[in-house]
Amino acid sequence: MKKIVIIGGGIAGLSAGIFAQKNGFDSIIVEKHHTLGGECTGWDRQGYHIDGCIHWLVGSKKGTQIHDLWTTVGALDEVEIYHPESFLAVEHDGVIVNFYRDLDRLKSNWLEISPEDKEEIEDFCSDIKKLHSFSVPSGKPIDMMNIFEKIKYIFSMKDVGPIMQKYGKISVKELANKFMHPALREAIASFLPEGDYSAISVLFPLGTFTSGQSSIPKGGSKALANRMVERYISLGGTVEASCEVVETYIEGNILKGIKCKNGKSFEADYFIAACDAKVLYEKLLKRRYNDPEFEKRYNNPDIYPLASNIYIGIGYEGEMNDIPRTLKFPVESVDIIQNQKPIEHLQMTHYGYEPNFAPKGHTVITFAINQFRPELDAWEVLAKDKEAYTKEKTRIGKVVIDAMETRFPHMKGKLKLLDVATPQTYVRYCNAYRGAFMGFWPTISGKVLNHTGHIKGLDNMFLSGQWLQPPGGLPVAVITGKDTIMRICKKEKQQFVTL
Ligand SMILES: Cc1cc2nc3c(=O)[nH]c(=O)nc-3n(C[C@H](O)[C@H](O)[C@H](O)COP(=O)(O)OP(=O)(O)OC[C@H]3O[C@@H](n4cnc5c(N)ncnc54)[C@H](O)[C@@H]3O)c2cc1C
């Protein structure tokens, strides 16, 4: 039986492990952290559960390929799905713009707000609807398809192509500016900050959300990852946790073994790096196998930007069922980290739909404050001074509670800070390059990466995970984990099986 060592037990590593076992390999997942799931996680604080990931999961709709994949890996087996009525509600000057799941409702909400934008609203909604026929392909990677499969694939993308062309070359800001009403402009612009970010990042999420393909599995992110761990172990897979891989041994073009910080070492026929790409190329392969596709992206952060988060958990002594699940609201200009642009809005999500996430009658709330290049640099510097770093986290927590109490005066005295995670938290726990929570973001000047995971110069090692295709996220992780096992099966000249 051939042996596979998988470095990293996030969603990509778990997916690879599950398919390795199904295909008759003997696999082991070697994970740095004491628990598996990677960035798809959640944690408990003071009687509350902070869900640290899923706001929308592409693949939650039965009958799609990606749903079948999630089910095969145990993530969605018999799991109740929560369908939020709105993707996001954005408040501007007292007007609330809703990105409703029901596209007709979205259209009438927007027309009511701004009848003078009728033409743009109709065009926007009609383009979102065109994406309803699209579902994320997750059968076979394109480079492994035969000519007939390629033709079928191209045909299945026939509605997507024109939308990619139309929105791939305009920025989010340009799309927003097509609308006359400031609240609609603000709502669209709130998807990403000013810059080169492609408007595709607005269209695709709304396309999958309004077609019911991206809702939320009940129980949250940690429970989803745990179900995958159970599936992996039930198939005979082995887990070695709290075991950070720090070295590789290479002979010719074959990786022979890896060594971990705790002194353990592992040998295998194949190795899958389901960890951060930068960790792989820089730390594990010591820059000897650098890939120009990744180099180009690391060296041009304006064209290939990355985002991380400040993620704040707050407990509320009360219920919030009358407040939109995810709401972006204006706040008095707030400094978040020294010398950086102050923020003018906060985006909160409450988990009223998950009663088990909070004590009875209480609700847990999370705030995600996206962080980009200048802020990521500032966090890197600040984290070196432990005292200042902790102080800043506490200050941010207080600022957010104050802003929440100003916006919702009835909550005064009933909010308590549970936790503040920063970009450096993702670096510390997941080895995530710059704390990135997705891959490279699509921009109008950037080229779309579609990496096979092959490492040039090494015959028995592959990369899997969110870095292989933009913008990353859970679907890319689960798909690329499976794809890697397909590639190994091809090398072994054996039929790939999913059952
Ligand atoms: C706040 C937040 C919200 C998000 N919301 C969504 C959402 O709503 N929908 C969505 O699709 N995606 C979302 N994402 C993104 C999603 O979580 C990630 O894209 C996905 O989990 C990445 O999976 P991965 O397996 O590729 O990588 P990771 O999760 O980063 O897993 C890599 C694993 O490798 C381990 N590792 C690293 N280096 C080593 C080493 N040297 N040795 C051993 N182990 C190592 C890490 O500890 C980690 O467990 C969100 C992320 C965050 C942080």
Side-chain angles (χ1 to χ4, degrees), residues 410-463:
H410 67 280
M411 293 186 178
K412 209 167 173 57
K414 295 181 179 169
L415 296 165
K416 74 170 152 188
L417 181 63
L418 304 175
D419 198 27
V420 179
T422 78
Q424 287 298 307
T425 310
Y426 301 105
V427 174
R428 188 151 64 97
Y429 285 105
C430 298
N431 271 357
Y433 175 55
R434 313 211 74 204
F437 72 99
M438 305 274 275
F440 301 102
W441 223 268
T443 61
I444 49 180
S445 357
K447 279 182 108 180
V448 174
L449 178 72
N450 195 349
H451 202 285
T452 61
H454 282 108
I455 293 154
K456 288 179 195 103
L458 286 179
D459 284 352
N460 65 336
M461 188 181 214
F462 299 85
L463 175 65

Side-chain angles (χ1 to χ4, degrees), residues 396-412:
I396 290 172
K398 184 169 177 331
V399 159
V400 168
I401 289 187
D402 288 349
M404 194 69 179
E405 288 182 344
T406 306
R407 172 61 187 81
F408 299 103
H410 67 280
M411 293 186 178
K412 209 167 173 57

Side-chain angles (χ1 to χ4, degrees), residues 119-167:
E119 211 175 300
E120 269 318 318
I121 293 170
E122 284 180 347
D123 194 40
F124 183 62
C125 290
S126 138
D127 285 342
I128 293 173
K129 198 164 190 163
K130 285 184 192 142
L131 290 175
H132 285 190
S133 65
F134 167 77
S135 73
V136 173
S138 52
K140 229 186 216 183
I142 306 179
D143 62 290
M144 290 180 76
M145 289 177 184
N146 63 34
I147 183 76
F148 301 108
E149 289 165 333
K150 270 192 188 142
I151 292 168
K152 202 169 156 201
Y153 170 78
I154 290 165
F155 190 72
S156 76
M157 302 295 269
K158 68 179 189 327
D159 295 329
V160 177
I163 301 288
M164 290 285 281
Q165 291 216 320
K166 182 167 170 186
Y167 292 90

Side-chain angles (χ1 to χ4, degrees), residues 212-412:
Q213 296 185 60
S214 52
S215 293
I216 304 172
K218 291 264 296 203
S221 312
K222 183 79 193 153
L224 180 140
N226 282 346
R227 286 191 293 275
M228 288 180 69
V229 176
E230 276 169 32
R231 176 63 50 95
Y232 175 60
I233 289 170
S234 74
L235 289 164
T238 311
V239 172
E240 191 74 46
S242 304
C243 200
E244 181 173 5
V245 181
V246 286
E247 249 175 88
T248 52
Y249 298 103
I250 297 168
E251 278 177 21
N253 49 2
I254 299 293
L255 178 65
K256 290 286 183 189
I258 53 166
K259 193 168 173 194
C260 304
K261 217 177 193 168
N262 60 11
K264 289 189 177 172
S265 54
F266 301 90
E267 293 187 346
D269 301 286
Y270 290 100
F271 292 83
I272 299 174
C275 56
D276 184 89
K278 187 84 169 174
V279 168
L280 169 71
Y281 289 111
E282 209 149 276
K283 295 204 174 135
L284 303 184
L285 299 177
K286 310 270 186 276
R287 300 173 184 233
R288 277 176 291 160
Y289 297 85
N290 280 1
D291 187 310
E293 288 299 330
F294 277 102
E295 285 303 290
K296 180 167 84 186
R297 286 167 174 80
Y298 294 134
N299 295 332
N300 293 287
D302 285 337
I303 303 179
Y304 300 103
L306 296 171
S308 187
N309 256 321
I310 305 173
Y311 203 71
I312 301 144
I314 286 177
Y316 170 52
E317 204 186 312
E319 290 178 352
M320 296 177 68
N321 299 331
D322 51 342
I323 297 173
R325 178 193 69 116
T326 299
L327 176 69
K328 185 165 183 173
F329 58 92
V331 292
E332 288 240 329
S333 184
V334 180
D335 279 334
I336 283 297
I337 175 167
Q338 309 109 331
N339 305 323
Q340 300 305 318
K341 207 171 143 199
I343 57 159
E344 319 256 304
H345 296 89
L346 278 176
Q347 184 169 313
M348 61 133 219
T349 296
H350 73 78
Y351 296 77
Y353 62 94
E354 289 280 11
N356 294 336
F357 282 12
K360 200 168 169 22
H362 293 220
T363 311
V364 66
I365 313 167
T366 60
F367 286 79
I369 305 175
N370 282 345
Q371 301 284 276
F372 293 86
R373 190 143 68 106
E375 296 95 21
L376 299 182
D377 293 335
W379 280 110
E380 247 168 61
V381 173
L382 191 62
K384 292 189 179 117
D385 179 344
K386 204 163 184 301
E387 201 184 320
Y389 175 71
T390 311
K391 208 165 143 196
E392 180 62 0
K393 290 206 315 175
T394 313
R395 189 187 70 81
I396 290 172
K398 184 169 177 331
V399 159
V400 168
I401 289 187
D402 288 349
M404 194 69 179
E405 288 182 344
T406 306
R407 172 61 187 81
F408 299 103
H410 67 280
M411 293 186 178
K412 209 167 173 57

Side-chain angles (χ1 to χ4, degrees), residues 6-14 30-33 35-41 51-58 70 243-246 260 274-276 279 284 309 311 368 426 429-432 435-439 464-467 471-478 480:
I6 299 160
I7 306 169
I11 297 304
L14 285 165
V30 184
E31 164 59 45
K32 167 187 193 276
H33 202 21
T35 174
L36 274 68
E39 293 187 348
C40 182
T41 193
D51 191 303
C53 184
I54 304 173
H55 293 72
W56 53 300
L57 181 75
V58 176
W70 281 121
C243 200
E244 181 173 5
V245 181
V246 286
C260 304
C275 56
D276 184 89
V279 168
L284 303 184
N309 256 321
Y311 203 71
Y426 301 105
Y429 285 105
C430 298
N431 271 357
F437 72 99
M438 305 274 275
S464 288
Q466 62 177 348
W467 293 99
L474 297 162
V476 173
V478 74
T480 55

Side-chain angles (χ1 to χ4, degrees), residues 5-22:
V5 167
I6 299 160
I7 306 169
I11 297 304
L14 285 165
S15 168
I18 289 166
F19 284 103
Q21 292 302 124
K22 280 177 182 280

